[in-house]
Structure formats: structure tokens, C-alpha cells
Amino acid sequence: MRNLLPCTGKPGVSGRFPHPAHLKRPAKFNAEEFLRDSPASISDNEPFIGDDRTVGKRIGHFFRSDVGVLTLVAAVRLVLHIATNSQYGFHRDELQTLDDARHLDWGFVAYPPITPLIGRLELFLFGTSLVGFRLFAAVAVSTVMVLSGMMAKELGGTRHIQLLAALSAGIAPMSLVQGAVFQYVSFDYLWGVMVTYLLVRLVNSEDPRWWVPIGGILGLGMETRYTIGVLALGIVGAVLLTPARRHLRSVWLWVGVTASIAVILPNLIWQARHQFISLEFLSYLHTRDLRLGRYQGFFREQLLICVNLATAPVTFLGLWFYFVSQPGRRYRLLGWTFVISFVLFALRGSRSYYTAPLYPMLLAGGSVLFGNLVSRLRPAWSRLAYGVQWSAIALGGVAFVILVMPLAPVGSPVWKVTSKMHDQFREEIGWQDLGRAVAAVYHSLPAEEREGTGILTGNYGEAGALNLYGPSLGLPRAMGLTNSFWYRGYDPRLPQTVIVAGFDLAEAGELFESCVVAARNANSFGVENEESGDHPDILLCRNLRLPWPVYWERSRRFG
């Protein structure tokens, strides 16, 4: 049977498989040659397969190869995340995913099933360890560095240029942030970059069978985050605008399309059974973000979030490489993929970081063009150009590592600076304090009343935190109205005494016959975040005015 896996092609070298008619028939078995070459006849000084010396040599050879060096660099990045990812606490988004991971399904309101599935695996392997729960996200963004370097290699870059591309991708603020938190964004980033790497392999090998893994990875991407569909549309447009449209006549492209649909199908069935609830969710998010002005910084933040300022020139060189330079013209498929996808994101109204998976292919092409340009200079000028670029990468990398990775102690001068720049770390503070405060109210009740007391939360962070820390504090399951928590329903005990978090007193007073402030939702560090600032009261309420089924049906929330 013919091997259906794509082969590995080099630039300018055909990656096609030889036609079966050209394959030689297997040589007849020769007993004399077999005995002569058997392990028994090999010199004792010559290691054979299975010998520890041979294994050691192979490992050494791997780490001296291009991909081995890139892997070592990415491993250093991974170790940095492992060393720092236990600094604060779970982010509110992580708490939602962690709870979803305990209730696996083929779909969720906020995202497709892949991310909770990975979270379930991490729970199995590491429990609720912060470092363990964030490990695969850190692996994902570190792998992007390897893929970026390998793209540069496929585009003709030397090892020096491969490292430039890898480190340029690795110091992007978006990449650094996503290695420090478990979100679907990290895996969407990986799938998007992997697809663009496979496109380079497709162009180099001219083997249409690469469409099969491309389709499969796009399917995984759609099962992780629906925005990768924009990248798929960008590829369609790029195929139509370049000589790659000849692949439309290839059965392998359509096999790839079929593979993608097959991967997506379980989630599509789930959506159909749930009235395509995620479309309603995404519409809500789009309206909310538009109202809050979150799309206004789309263009400005491309060079502040998706790439590091130090590598912005390399990014523009990447566009020049694909559209203008002679060596890059054969890869124009990637250039058009970037442009069309970027325009679609911009026209749709998107957060700036949605485009992050598009940039490593620009950094790879730009690094190759940078190397080509510098090679034409005199040696002294060439050394100066490389020195300036590497110095910029070092300074830009260190600066953003300090600003966007969880390094600074809470309340330190650096913490105060980062807290003004973004709320990533502030939203990781205070969840255990919330659990203890709710537990104090719960255990202050008379035993008879406590047995029938429930907990109601206003957002997914509160529900996730109380379901994570609550069991060890003796608390019942917290009810949540937001996203997939709503599908898990209300407390079957139909509690008439309810501890309420995430509601203000006036709102809760309309739902219950009586409500009082029983505790404060604060944190031991005095950090102001969404919980301590927007939802400071923990309420004790009694006698819901509506039957629980009626209230639940009317009260679904998105967030």
C-alpha cells in the first residue's frame, strides 16, 4: 500500500513520492549477507541499535540539529514558565475552564470542547496545581517558537536566522501572556501557526497530500476556538489568488476538507442540539466589546501585543519577503493568507490579539529577508546590523517578560506598573478569600437551616472558585447562571436560604423576600479587581419570589 503521509521536502526539492512503476522490487533474501552483517559478526567496538552509546549519539545528534537547537531554546522558555506560573492564583477564565473540565461534553457555551478536554487531562495528571494546570498552555506557546524557526528553515534560513525567527515569536507579549494562563487562546495560537507551517511544507514539496494534515489541524482549531475559521477563509482566498488554485483539482485538498469537517462534526451536532447557543454567546460578546470600545485599539495594538516592538521591523520585512522579494514570491500563498485573514478580522470587528497566530509566518519570512540583506553588507556592517537586532530582541524580551509574566510580588513597584497596564494578574487574586468568606457565612447558620442552604453566583469566576475550594470548606455546590454553568441547573434541594455572591443588594432584593449583607468580598492583599470593586457584598437571602424552575429559565447570562 502506498504511504499516504506527506514527505518532508526542502526548498526547491520535490517532495513527491516516486510512482510505484519506478520502485524497484525487493531484493531476494541472501543468507550469507545476513549472517555476515548480523550482530554476532559485528566488532565489539562497534555499537549497534539498542546500545546505550548509539542511543546517546542519536540524542546528541538530534540536539546538534536545527530542530534540536530550536527545541532547546523552547525548553528554556518552558522552564521559565514552570518556575513562575505559581506566583498568584487561578485566573477567573481558568476557573471556568476547570469546572467545565469536570463536566466534559462535545461543546460548551463559551468555546468548543478541546480546551476543557486538555484541562481534564491536566487535572488527572497534576490535580489542581497551578503549574500543572498551565503546563500544556506553556508547552503550546513554546512549541510555536520551534515551528517559527522551522518555517524560517523551510524558507531558506540558516540556523542563525532560524533562531532569530524563533526568538522573535517567543518574545511577543501575546505569546508570553498565554504561557502563563490556561486559556483556549494558547492552543488556538498553536494550531494557527502549525497550519501556516504546513502551508510552507505544501509549497516546498508541491505534494497535495499536505492538505490532509492542514485540514485536520484546522478541524482541531475549530474544536478549540471558532475564530480559526477566519484563517481558513484566508487560505481559501489565497489559494484562489495564487497558482495554488491548481490544487482545487486535487482529490487531496478535498480529503483535507473532509478531514476538517469530520473533526468539527461532533461539536456541530452538539450546537444543533443546543440551538446553536454559541452563536448567541458570540453575538453578545461582540455587542458588549463594541459598547466598551474594545475594538478601537485593533490596529495600534498589533505591534504592541501580537509582536514585540523590537521585532516590528522584521514583521514588515516579512510582508516584503512574500510580496516583493524574488526568493519569497513562490510563497505568496502565505502572504495572501495573512492579508486576507487580517482584513477579515479588521472588518468583522475583533480584539487585537485575534490575529496573533498570523504573525510567526511574517517573522519567519522577515528573518530570512533580513539575513539576505545583511549578507550583502561588508563584514563590519553585517556584524553591526546583527548586533543591533539581537540587542533589541534582548531588551524587548526582558522588558515584556517583566511586564506580562507573573514575576513581581503583589504590591511591589513593578506590580503597580503592570496592574495599570492590564488586569491579568489582578483577576488572579482573592478567590480563596471568597471561598473562606462564603464558608464563614454558611457555617454561622443554625444547623437546621444550613442543611437546606444553597449558594448562587453572578459570574463564572465566582462559581468556579466556590466549586473548586468549596468542598474542602464544607460548602454545597455553587449554582451559576453564566455560560455552561447554567446548563448544570439549580440546586435540586430548592433552597429557600441562599448565600448570594456577585449581586448587589438592590438586585438581590428584587429576587428574594429578604436580603442582608453578611460578609465582604475582599482579598488579603487589598487588591482592587472585579470582585472586590464591582461585587463587594456577600449576601444572605431568604425565600426566592419565583419558583426555582421559572427563575432559572429567565436568568441565563453570558460572560
Side-chain angles (χ1 to χ4, degrees):
M1 180 181 293
R2 290 184 64 192
N3 188 346
L4 300 184
L5 292 176
C7 63
T8 55
K10 300 290 183 181
V13 179
S14 174
R16 295 176 178 170
F17 282 85
H19 191 275
H22 300 298
L23 294 176
K24 294 181 180 180
R25 293 183 178 179
K28 293 183 178 179
F29 177 74
N30 188 313
E32 293 182 0
E33 291 182 2
F34 174 78
L35 291 173
R36 185 177 66 245
D37 295 334
S38 65
S41 65
I42 296 176
S43 170
D44 292 337
N45 294 325
E46 182 180 346
F48 58 90
I49 295 175
D51 191 306
D52 290 342
R53 289 171 292 175
T54 300
V55 173
K57 286 182 178 180
R58 290 184 176 183
I59 294 174
H61 177 72
F62 170 78
F63 285 113
R64 287 192 297 271
S65 68
D66 291 337
V67 67
V69 171
L70 292 170
T71 301
L72 285 173
V73 173
V76 172
R77 156 81 180 273
L78 177 61
V79 169
L80 178 61
H81 283 300
I82 292 173
T84 59
N85 274 353
S86 61
Q87 177 72 293
Y88 310 126
F90 284 104
H91 189 274
R92 66 169 59 249
D93 291 352
E94 292 177 305
L95 292 168
Q96 173 179 225
T97 308
L98 192 153
D99 204 86
D100 288 341
R102 300 181 190 273
H103 301 84
L104 290 182
D105 205 341
W106 285 110
F108 298 87
V109 173
Y111 33 62
I114 288 291
T115 307
L117 178 62
I118 297 172
R120 181 64 168 267
L121 176 60
E122 289 178 314
L123 284 174
F124 174 76
L125 294 174
F126 312 113
T128 55
S129 160
L130 263 176
V131 173
F133 197 65
R134 293 169 174 172
L135 178 63
F136 289 161
V139 170
V141 296
S142 300
T143 303
V144 166
M145 295 179 66
V146 178
L147 291 172
S148 301
M150 293 306 294
M151 266 194 281
K153 179 178 181 178
E154 291 291 328
L155 296 173
T158 62
R159 179 173 295 182
H160 189 90
I161 297 304
Q162 295 165 33
L163 288 171
L164 176 60
L167 289 170
S168 296
I171 64 171
M174 184 64 192
S175 173
L176 295 171
V177 168
Q178 289 305 312
V181 65
F182 183 81
Q183 294 175 325
Y184 55 72
V185 181
S186 308
F187 305 104
D188 170 71
Y189 188 48
L190 172 62
W191 304 137
V193 176
M194 189 175 293
V195 166
T196 57
Y197 169 71
L198 294 175
L199 286 175
V200 178
R201 299 301 300 270
L202 170 72
V203 173
N204 277 341
S205 68
E206 298 183 358
D207 187 339
R209 282 174 288 187
W210 280 107
W211 285 113
V212 180
I214 289 171
I217 297 301
L218 283 172
L220 285 175
M222 285 293 289
E223 288 281 57
T224 303
R225 188 184 186 196
Y226 299 119
T227 51
I228 203 170
V230 176
L231 174 59
L233 292 175
I235 293 172
V236 171
V239 167
L240 295 175
L241 290 174
T242 63
R245 56 183 169 270
R246 68 183 181 277
H247 289 294
L248 294 171
R249 298 191 297 271
S250 170
V251 66
W252 293 108
L253 184 146
W254 301 106
V255 171
V257 172
T258 303
S260 183
I261 294 173
V263 176
I264 301 167
L265 188 59
N267 182 246
L268 289 177
I269 294 173
W270 184 92
Q271 291 289 351
R273 290 177 175 175
H274 292 79
Q275 295 76 47
F276 290 93
I277 187 64
S278 293
L279 293 179
E280 187 178 348
F281 167 79
L282 293 172
S283 176
Y284 163 83
L285 285 191
H286 187 272
T287 302
R288 181 203 66 183
D289 291 345
L290 187 64
R291 182 182 72 252
L292 297 176
R294 291 179 175 176
Y295 300 146
Q296 294 177 0
F298 178 81
F299 293 101
R300 180 184 69 255
E301 293 173 358
Q302 295 300 309
L303 299 180
L304 295 175
I305 294 178
C306 296
V307 295
N308 195 298
L309 279 174
T311 60
V314 179
T315 305
F316 290 112
L317 284 176
L319 282 173
W320 188 273
F321 175 80
Y322 291 119
F323 285 105
V324 180
S325 74
Q326 187 63 37
R329 287 183 181 179
R330 66 176 301 207
Y331 302 102
R332 195 164 289 177
L333 173 69
L334 277 83
W336 279 116
T337 296
F338 175 87
V339 170
I340 295 172
S341 300
F342 185 90
V343 170
L344 289 175
F345 275 122
L347 292 176
R348 175 183 175 273
S350 304
R351 303 286 292 273
S352 57
Y353 63 86
Y354 290 7
T355 60
L358 303 175
Y359 282 94
M361 62 179 166
L362 291 191
L363 294 171
S367 296
V368 172
L369 181 56
F370 177 78
N372 291 342
L373 294 174
V374 171
S375 67
R376 301 173 189 173
L377 302 175
R378 294 180 179 179
W381 288 106
S382 176
R383 288 192 295 271
L384 177 62
Y386 276 121
V388 170
Q389 182 60 67
W390 283 112
S391 297
I393 286 177
L395 291 173
V398 170
F400 278 96
V401 162
I402 293 173
L403 293 174
V404 303
M405 289 187 66
L407 299 178
V410 177
S412 67
V414 175
W415 164 273
K416 294 177 181 178
V417 172
T418 61
S419 295
K420 293 178 181 178
M421 294 179 59
H422 57 80
D423 65 356
Q424 181 84 5
F425 303 147
R426 286 187 281 118
E427 295 304 320
E428 297 178 4
I429 301 296
W431 298 112
Q432 294 190 54
D433 297 296
L434 171 63
R436 286 189 287 266
V438 170
V441 175
Y442 180 77
H443 291 294
S444 70
L445 297 172
E448 299 80 9
E449 185 177 17
R450 188 166 63 240
E451 289 180 1
T453 297
I455 300 173
L456 179 66
T457 61
N459 64 55
Y460 59 73
E462 295 155 350
L466 291 173
N467 286 336
L468 173 62
Y469 301 116
S472 64
L473 297 169
L475 297 177
R477 178 183 69 88
M479 297 177 281
L481 299 167
T482 310
N483 300 344
S484 289
F485 283 96
W486 184 85
Y487 282 116
R488 285 157 210 157
Y490 49 84
D491 192 325
R493 298 174 302 161
L494 306 179
Q496 292 306 303
T497 299
V498 183
I499 301 171
V500 179
F503 290 70
D504 59 42
L505 185 60
E507 180 184 9
E510 295 177 358
L511 301 176
F512 295 88
E513 292 182 2
S514 68
C515 281
V516 296
V517 176
R520 300 290 292 179
N521 187 2
N523 59 78
S524 56
F525 294 102
V527 172
E528 183 172 348
N529 52 24
E530 181 177 334
E531 293 304 307
S532 63
D534 298 342
H535 314 298
D537 296 330
I538 296 173
L539 309 174
L540 182 62
C541 301
R542 292 181 173 89
N543 301 321
L544 185 68
R545 298 179 187 275
L546 294 173
W548 275 103
V550 175
Y551 169 70
W552 207 257
E553 185 65 28
R554 296 179 180 179
S555 302
R556 174 159 52 188
R557 297 181 176 185
F558 296 124

